[in-house]
Amino acid sequence: MARRSYKQACSLARALDAVGDRWTLLIIRDLLLGPRRYGELQTCLPGIGTNLLADRLKSMEKIGLVRRLPVDAGHRWELTETGLGLQPALMEMIRWAMTTRLPAHGDETSRPEWDFVAMKALFDPQRYTGARGRFRLVLNGLPAVLEVVGEALELRQEDGGTAAATIEMDATTGWQLATGKVGFQDALADGRLKISGDKDAARQLLAAFTLGG
Amino acid sequence: MARRSYKQACSLARALDAVGDRWTLLIIRDLLLGPRRYGELQTCLPGIGTNLLADRLKSMEKIGLVRRLPVDAGHRWELTETGLGLQPALMEMIRWAMTTRLPAHGDETSRPEWDFVAMKALFDPQRYTGARGRFRLVLNGLPAVLEVVGEALELRQEDGGTAAATIEMDATTGWQLATGKVGFQDALADGRLKISGDKDAARQLLAAFTLGG
DNA sequence: CTGCATCCGCCTCGATACTG
DNA sequence: CAGTATCGAGGCGGATGCAG
């Protein structure tokens, strides 16, 4: 159990007392896409010790950031409202990292889930002028369901259900669209972006993904 | 030199590789109010080891978050544009902590600078309908200069210069005004809020400080 | 006096082994 | 599958020393 505190009467210090320990924010990142089993978290967090993951989940549960969700043969870990409240801070941190040239560490492991989180961070609800709707996003071949709900974009890793449109691309294309390095029509033309269903609604949605402008 | 990396091809992981180490974000917090000397940082960060502060500053300098600003008999540390770019993320994290009941650690130390940072976090530029202007804020008896510049509120710990108005209160009153627990007129009436100069401009400014609504 | 570097004890972390 | 137990390595906290 991590028990080291800054002991400062400052909101940031108190926040870091709660979530500043190693791995904690990455656990929350992975839970942003939906409830996860212990084992799923382990494979999404290569390098974490099994004791650390258990410790972190326990203290996060005590603080009220996550809760256990009973399921057949065990349970899933899911974010509480409080834990979900960290999403804006995480999104801002991701946007900062995406616009900043940070030193790269040679042998990075890669996971498709992280691209979904990056897409969430690129979405700016202020720019979305379309109607409320469900979309299907196939990123690097993996499907997810997008839904614009009030101030944020909900993105769950699952498939099925009805959707106004299906958007298919890879993460690089998504990033290039957001930064304006490639246009909507161009990406469509050279096949890196595929849309089925309501093409106008998809265009409106993609227009809300922006970075650095 | 902190050299432990998550080695994940994920923006959040890379951000935490850069600023996730202990004390780093608190150093940035303190630098948000202006350049600081090494010794000033030490007194604002009770408990940090002198070697750790030096190490952190060195790695932050290498990444490009801070730079040395020569000054008589030594130098000051100041944020670069890249370092300043973390401000939105920090502000969101502060707002999260202020709206969340987190476990308190008995004997917290307190510093007036942290209240200024909290005030920055409460400011929502979207809600500010007034004109660009300079204000003087006296918080708990300590003066600072406020200036609305584009998307953010600049807040420097200094005094002097011209100001459209001077706003005088304590941090608690500021928080109560932001959360709506007390109204502008009431706070003025019972003397916890004092305004000299352009009272209307001050009211417009204070209306842009909000939390949880 | 300011701005660190060195040294040392402790606690967190990461990895492996083991259990309900 | 979902953790607990254990242990070595290293980051961290505190005291002290020293150079410009």
Side-chain angles (χ1 to χ4, degrees), chain B residues 130-172:
Chain B
R132 298 170 73 257
R134 264 170 79 94
F135 295 86
R136 209 168 143 263
L137 171 67
V138 181
L139 199 66
N140 302 333
L142 287 172
V145 170
L146 272 69
E147 204 160 350
V148 182
V149 181
E151 275 302 284
L153 175 75
E154 269 195 29
L155 196 160
R156 290 180 301 280
Q157 246 189 307
E158 59 183 48
D159 204 358
T162 61
T166 292
I167 301 166
E168 205 168 344
M169 59 184 176
D170 57 24
T172 305

Side-chain angles (χ1 to χ4, degrees), chain A residues 168-184:
Chain A
E168 205 168 345
M169 59 183 176
D170 57 24
T172 305
T173 304
W175 181 79
Q176 288 178 335
L177 283 169
T179 53
K181 294 195 186 305
V182 68
F184 179 79

